[in-house]
Amino acid sequence: MSEDLQIAKGSKEEQYLNLLPQIKGLLHGEDDLVANLANICAALKEQFGFFWVGFYLIKNEELVLGPFQGPVACTRIKKGRGVCGAAWERSEILVVPDVEKFPGHIACSSISKSEIVLPIRKNNEVVGVLDVDSELLNHFDQTDAEYLEKIIELIQWP
Ligand code: SME
C-alpha cells in the first residue's frame, strides 16, 4: 500500500469522496486502534487543513485525549462538558457554527471558531468522539457530518 495521500481539489463533497477510499485503504489489514485513529487524523488534516482534528476516547467515564493533529489540547473532558461531552451525553452529532455561542464550550485555543463533534458508537454505546475544529466561523455543515460519519464507521473498535 502506498502511504502517499492523493490530495483532491474541488468541492467539499469531491474532496471527501476522494479521501474516503484512501482512508479505507490506510485502515485495511491493520487492527491497531491508535495507528488507525492517527492516520485518520493525518489524512483529514492533510486534505482539508483543519485547525485541529482528533479523537477523545472514553476511559473511566471521562473523555481522554487520543490521537490528534494540531495544537496541544485539553486532555480530559467530563460527560456533558463542552461540545465533546455534550455530543457524548446526547449521543448525537453536534455542528457548532460559532463556538462562543455554545454554552460551556471548552476553548482549548482562542483561534478555534467553529466545531463539529461526532460520537463514535460500539454496540450502541458511545466509546469516543471525533472532534474537528476550524479557525473559520460556520465552517461545518451536513456534508461534513455525513462524510465524517462514514469515516468513523470504518474504524474497527476493539
Ligand atoms: N472545544 C472542545 C474541546 C476540545 S478542543 O476543541 C480540541 C469542546 O468544547 O468540547
Side-chain angles (χ1 to χ4, degrees), residues 34-54:
V34 171
N36 287 336
L37 300 184
N39 257 344
I40 291 173
C41 295
L44 285 167
K45 175 87 173 168
E46 212 177 328
Q47 173 64 56
F48 293 102
F50 293 132
F51 175 68
W52 196 91
V53 49

Side-chain angles (χ1 to χ4, degrees), residues 26-153:
L26 282 167
L27 271 46
H28 182 76
E30 179 52 70
D31 65 2
D32 188 273
L33 182 66
V34 171
N36 287 336
L37 300 184
N39 257 344
I40 291 173
C41 295
L44 285 167
K45 175 87 173 168
E46 212 177 328
Q47 173 64 56
F48 293 102
F50 293 132
F51 175 68
W52 196 91
V53 49
F55 291 91
Y56 282 90
L57 313 181
I58 296 173
K59 295 180 183 171
N60 298 324
E61 281 302 298
E62 263 185 332
L63 287 168
V64 182
L65 185 62
F68 71 96
Q69 293 260 325
V72 295
C74 48
T75 50
R76 288 173 188 271
I77 299 174
K78 293 200 185 306
K79 195 173 195 174
R81 295 280 320 279
V83 187
C84 292
W88 169 20
E89 186 168 56
R90 298 181 209 171
S91 187
E92 67 186 41
I93 298 173
L94 295 180
V95 177
V96 180
D98 181 350
V99 293
E100 283 185 12
K101 295 196 174 127
F102 188 94
H105 166 256
I106 301 164
C108 292
S109 164
S110 61
I111 296 170
S112 176
K113 298 284 185 288
S114 62
E115 183 163 358
I116 182 170
V117 180
L118 297 94
I120 302 168
R121 296 181 199 88
K122 183 189 176 187
N123 302 331
N124 281 329
E125 287 281 302
V126 179
V127 289
V129 300
L130 170 63
D131 179 15
V132 189
D133 289 29
S134 171
E135 64 270 67
L136 305 172
L137 281 169
N138 203 14
H139 191 139
F140 302 104
D141 55 24
Q142 263 319 107
T143 303
D144 298 286
E146 185 186 327
Y147 285 98
L148 291 173
E149 183 147 59
K150 287 187 202 295
I151 290 169
I152 58 177
E153 280 167 6

